[in-house]
Amino acid sequence: MKIHYITNEKDIQEEEPTILVLGYFDGLHIGHQALFDRARSHAKERDRKVVVLTYPHSPKLTFERFRPELLLHLTDPQERQDLFASYGVDHLYLLDFTSSFASLSPEAFVEQYIQALNPETIIVGFDYHFGRGRADVRRLQDLFDGQVIVIDEVQMDGEKVSSSRIRDLVQKGDVKEANRLLGHTFSTEGLVVHGDARGRTIGFPTANLANFEQVHLPADGVYVTEVAIDGKRYRAMTSIGFNETFGGTELRLESHIFHYQEEIYGKRIRVYWLDKIREMEKFDGMESLMRQLQEDQAISLDWKA
């Protein structure tokens, strides 16, 4: 997959007809995957490239009063690109959603950006909007001379699969259900840094992670996870919280990685969140803490999808 960072339509170069997918795809969940499944099959039938025009950050940043959570994503930039590639995207165009872009009329958006992307067919979700005034898919069908395929709402358990629904699940700690709606495992990436080294003294050494990507984190608790180090995954149990047993005042993200002994300070590792074991607790002594950690370990090692 080739990635193009563009500032306007003049940076687009598509000479051959394309299959174009439009939208903002935070999480790239199973609802989004329905668009790419159709695009991939359509492109294969016609020997075309799959092209995507999307935005690195939420369009809400242009319209709403700033809140820090508007910068947070369900997938970090690298994972997002990897998922696009796995869904069969050949060319990914990334455009900042600025005030000037938002002010384009629907007609200007089609004339400038759509024409530059040279689509034979456009594939969008049923709730796609574009241009000044947020024109809908019917307006796109009126303005575009080619075929527009509109993908219907994807539901699970009688409710729309959406990024906001998945964000709520992650923030509540229900990562298992979030993974079901995503169609892939929710993950976060962090840098291994020095912590208190207390885990070593009780037989549960942990990798302390600095979460440097702007990604939503699960609710406080202890989780079954997998940790990817240098391309290999290891089962782990991961805690996120303030470690009240030892008077912690800072949010800590720590992974105890099973069957792994090497020093990995300074490495970027990815944590795949599988299921929540329990809430964070304040223990009355080392003995009760050790008993609980042993129970957590047994659950983590026995856990199956």
Side-chain angles (χ1 to χ4, degrees):
M1 182 181 75
K2 190 170 182 180
I3 302 169
H4 311 262
Y5 296 93
I6 63 173
T7 56
N8 56 50
E9 77 282 3
K10 296 175 183 177
D11 295 330
I12 299 171
Q13 294 181 344
E14 290 294 340
E15 296 179 359
E16 298 295 324
T18 66
I19 308 301
L20 174 63
V21 185
L22 297 171
Y24 173 62
F25 304 104
D26 188 21
L28 286 162
H29 52 64
I30 61 172
H32 297 146
Q33 290 171 36
L35 277 70
F36 293 103
D37 287 345
R38 179 64 69 86
R40 193 166 55 247
S41 63
H42 212 69
K44 186 177 181 180
E45 290 171 5
R46 291 157 177 77
D47 192 25
R48 302 300 187 205
K49 301 289 188 183
V50 175
V51 173
V52 173
L53 175 66
T54 190
Y55 320 106
H57 297 289
S58 172
K60 290 182 179 180
L61 285 163
T62 302
F63 300 111
E64 298 182 10
R65 187 179 187 278
F66 175 73
R67 307 185 307 278
E69 59 266 28
L70 289 178
L71 288 173
L72 299 179
H73 301 269
L74 285 169
T75 52
D76 61 59
Q78 184 59 57
E79 184 190 22
R80 198 171 178 224
Q81 291 172 12
D82 290 345
L83 286 168
F84 275 124
S86 72
Y87 295 161
V89 175
D90 297 295
H91 291 268
L92 176 65
Y93 285 90
L94 293 169
L95 172 70
D96 287 333
F97 198 99
T98 63
S99 296
S100 60
F101 178 75
S103 68
L104 286 175
S105 68
E107 293 82 1
F109 173 73
V110 170
E111 290 172 4
Q112 296 174 28
Y113 285 89
I114 298 298
Q115 287 188 8
L117 290 160
N118 198 17
E120 180 178 276
T121 300
I122 298 175
I123 298 177
V124 292
F126 71 101
D127 55 355
Y128 176 72
H129 292 87
F130 68 103
R132 187 177 63 244
R134 303 187 77 243
D136 62 16
V137 293
R138 289 172 297 179
R139 185 69 175 135
L140 181 60
Q141 290 169 324
D142 290 339
L143 293 173
F144 179 59
D145 289 336
Q147 181 183 25
V148 178
I149 297 175
V150 180
I151 304 300
D152 292 335
E153 176 178 288
V154 174
Q155 293 191 349
M156 188 168 283
D157 303 325
E159 185 180 349
K160 176 187 172 184
V161 175
S162 66
S163 297
S164 59
R165 180 181 173 187
I166 296 168
R167 284 194 294 270
D168 289 343
L169 289 167
V170 169
Q171 290 165 359
K172 292 173 183 175
D174 193 353
V175 293
K176 186 176 182 180
E177 180 67 5
N179 292 339
R180 194 167 72 98
L181 302 186
L182 283 168
H184 56 87
T185 307
F186 175 72
S187 70
T188 55
E189 192 177 46
L191 186 73
V192 181
V193 297
H194 285 276
D196 298 323
R198 190 179 290 114
R200 294 180 182 278
T201 66
I202 60 175
F204 285 90
T206 60
N208 293 269
L209 301 178
N211 183 54
F212 50 80
E213 295 288 3
Q214 292 172 322
V215 176
H216 291 278
L217 290 174
D220 290 4
V222 179
Y223 295 80
V224 183
T225 59
E226 288 183 346
V227 172
I229 306 171
D230 296 331
K232 185 176 179 181
R233 287 199 194 188
Y234 302 84
R235 181 60 60 88
M237 59 184 189
T238 299
S239 66
I240 180 170
F242 291 90
N243 203 343
E244 294 181 11
T245 301
F246 299 102
T249 58
E250 297 178 353
L251 184 70
R252 293 293 182 92
L253 179 58
E254 304 178 52
S255 290
H256 174 65
I257 308 167
F258 302 117
H259 313 303
Y260 191 86
Q261 304 295 330
E262 295 181 30
E263 298 282 3
I264 50 174
Y265 294 114
K267 275 189 177 294
R268 294 169 68 126
I269 67 175
R270 185 170 291 278
V271 178
Y272 292 88
W273 303 83
L274 303 178
D275 203 356
K276 188 173 185 178
I277 301 174
R278 61 175 173 86
E279 302 292 335
M280 292 293 283
E281 302 175 42
K282 184 176 182 179
F283 296 93
D284 55 14
M286 194 64 71
E287 186 176 333
S288 58
L289 171 61
M290 286 293 296
R291 282 198 302 268
Q292 184 61 63
L293 289 175
Q294 289 165 357
E295 290 179 20
D296 297 340
Q297 174 176 274
I299 292 170
S300 298
L301 288 170
D302 291 342
W303 187 90
K304 293 180 176 61

